[in-house]
Amino acid sequence: MASLQQRGSGDEGFSETLDELDWNFTYGGQGVGNGSLSSFWYNRNQAHLFGVLLAVTGNLIISISLNIQKYSHLKLAHQGSQNPYFRSILWWCGSLLMVIGETGNCVGYGLAPVTLIAPLGCLSVAGSAIMSVTFLRGNLRSSDLLGVTLAFAGTYLLVAFAPNITQDITAKKVRYYFVGWQFLAYVILEILIFCILLYFYKRKDMKHIVILLTLVALLASMTVISVKAVSSMIILSVKGEMQLTYPIFYIMFIIMIASCIFQVKFLNQAMKLYDMTTVVSLNHIFFSTSAIVAGIIFYQEFHGATLLGALMYLFGCFLSFFGVVLVTRNREKKHLQQSYIDIGEIPASV
């Protein structure tokens, strides 16, 4: 660090950024990167807990909103109404709850690591299954109970063993990460993969679900990076540390909007061609994986994590992924005769 500071006044900003990065990385527990839920962890990471609570609450609200929208479609179909669903007050109530839930997720990204928030989308799928059985008289299967149990067990492991890295995401830090060689190499690789898949999708007319959802996941990684940056800079600005005057904020905001729009396009294409439940489970797995990789590379969230903590975190991801697959497996086939639009069970993508 001292050698960098001796390079002259032109490198002072770079040295200050490195010093800021060095001092902002803090870890809970006795060991570096220890993820145990101790009292020391709680005292040092209250913002993380608040972010997790916001994300969990947001995902549960999303589950409620999806089931309200399902119910509005069922009600219209039962009444034989020819009015479009968007004229239903009940449907708009569900949409409002969806916005509230997604807002909670966005704020959660600003307060806690990406690797901690992104996999919590499994709670939306699990909660939607429970509410569907309770309020919409859906079928309760043994695989649903096992899937929900695994999803909650995986969530506990994710929260317990996610890297306890705490850093204030300032505009200077985002700019430093944005031009770092790790992220540049990652973006180049993503662009190459995206262009290859887009070539097969457009030119060869290959619309396999893996191709479509991989395109969604590649865009989602940029969405997660930009959402965390934008949310964190807004939170810091509200606290009095103005970040909205930096150009990097607006660059990230544009990336967030553009990536979300194209995500919706490819995701809708996948939902038109394949069963909803297949898309739901695979999209959750692909999205969470890409978001975790993005958090590790861009925000360096696994910096200093222990091997045991990393393995337990990956095991928690596996349990939550497997739980989502069990909850959504073969569910669509039992509802093919229902004359309403099943738009539920879509996990939060941001």
Side-chain angles (χ1 to χ4, degrees):
M1 200 70 72
S3 62
L4 289 173
Q5 294 174 349
Q6 294 174 358
R7 292 182 181 179
S9 59
D11 292 339
E12 288 181 0
F14 179 74
S15 299
E16 290 176 0
T17 303
L18 290 179
D19 291 337
E20 186 182 7
L21 291 173
D22 183 55
W23 284 103
N24 274 308
F25 283 106
T26 58
Y27 303 93
Q30 297 294 325
V32 177
N34 181 23
S36 59
L37 292 174
S38 60
S39 59
F40 181 79
W41 186 95
Y42 174 78
N43 292 331
R44 297 291 295 272
N45 297 277
Q46 293 185 39
H48 284 193
L49 286 177
F50 187 56
V52 169
L53 289 176
L54 280 176
V56 170
T57 304
N59 281 304
L60 293 178
I61 291 175
I62 290 171
S63 300
I64 296 172
S65 71
L66 293 172
N67 281 276
I68 289 176
Q69 289 177 328
K70 280 184 181 181
Y71 178 73
S72 69
H73 289 297
L74 282 170
K75 187 176 180 181
L76 289 174
H78 180 71
Q79 294 175 348
S81 175
Q82 300 299 320
N83 293 328
Y85 62 87
F86 54 80
R87 290 188 180 180
S88 169
I89 297 177
L90 197 60
W91 185 87
W92 279 107
C93 289
S95 299
L96 178 61
L97 288 176
M98 174 74 74
V99 172
I100 295 173
E102 292 291 2
T103 301
N105 274 329
C106 290
V107 178
Y109 276 115
L111 295 173
V114 171
T115 50
L116 181 57
I117 299 299
L120 297 180
C122 67
L123 295 178
S124 177
V125 181
S128 182
I130 294 173
M131 293 176 190
S132 178
V133 170
T134 305
F135 299 107
L136 299 180
R137 298 180 181 179
N139 296 323
L140 180 62
R141 308 169 303 176
S142 58
S143 60
D144 293 336
L145 294 175
L146 179 59
V148 170
T149 302
L150 291 178
F152 280 107
T155 300
Y156 171 78
L157 292 178
L158 289 171
V159 174
F161 291 96
N164 289 339
I165 184 170
T166 302
Q167 51 178 327
D168 292 329
I169 306 298
T170 62
K172 291 182 179 180
K173 192 175 297 182
V174 172
R175 184 176 59 192
Y176 171 77
Y177 286 146
F178 196 77
V179 298
W181 70 266
Q182 300 98 326
F183 179 65
L184 293 178
Y186 175 70
V187 168
I188 292 173
L189 180 61
E190 268 209 349
I191 292 175
L192 288 175
I193 297 174
F194 188 86
C195 290
I196 292 171
L197 293 176
L198 196 61
Y199 170 79
F200 284 107
Y201 173 72
K202 290 289 188 180
R203 297 293 183 179
K204 301 296 184 180
D205 199 31
M206 295 178 62
K207 293 180 171 60
H208 193 276
I209 188 171
V210 173
I211 292 179
L212 289 169
L213 294 185
T214 302
L215 290 170
V216 173
L218 292 174
L219 291 167
S221 65
M222 302 306 298
T223 303
V224 168
I225 289 172
S226 56
V227 164
K228 181 173 177 62
V230 169
S231 180
S232 298
M233 285 188 277
I234 291 176
I235 290 173
L236 287 176
S237 298
V238 171
K239 291 180 178 179
E241 301 178 35
M242 180 54 63
Q243 305 292 317
L244 307 186
T245 57
Y246 292 90
I248 191 65
F249 172 81
Y250 300 97
I251 293 173
M252 285 295 185
F253 185 80
I254 292 172
I255 292 174
M256 178 182 70
I257 298 299
S259 59
C260 283
I261 291 173
F262 286 103
Q263 265 190 89
V264 171
K265 175 184 176 181
F266 291 116
L267 188 58
N268 283 336
Q269 183 67 25
M271 289 190 291
K272 288 178 182 178
L273 297 175
Y274 299 95
D275 288 343
M276 178 69 69
T277 52
T278 303
V279 175
V280 166
S281 57
L282 288 179
N283 182 57
H284 171 70
I285 294 171
F286 282 34
F287 166 80
S288 299
T289 302
S290 67
I292 291 168
V293 172
I296 292 173
I297 293 176
F298 189 86
Y299 293 107
Q300 303 176 17
E301 291 182 352
F302 264 73
H303 176 73
T306 62
L307 178 60
L308 177 61
L311 291 176
M312 293 301 295
Y313 175 85
L314 292 177
F315 183 60
C317 289
F318 170 76
L319 288 181
S320 64
F321 293 165
F322 190 51
V324 168
V325 171
L326 289 177
V327 169
T328 58
R329 184 174 61 95
N330 296 329
R331 184 174 291 276
E332 186 80 7
K333 296 178 181 179
K334 296 185 178 182
H335 298 278
L336 290 177
Q337 303 301 320
Q338 291 184 358
S339 57
Y340 70 96
I341 303 171
D342 186 359
I343 62 172
E345 296 184 342
I346 302 177
S349 58
V350 175

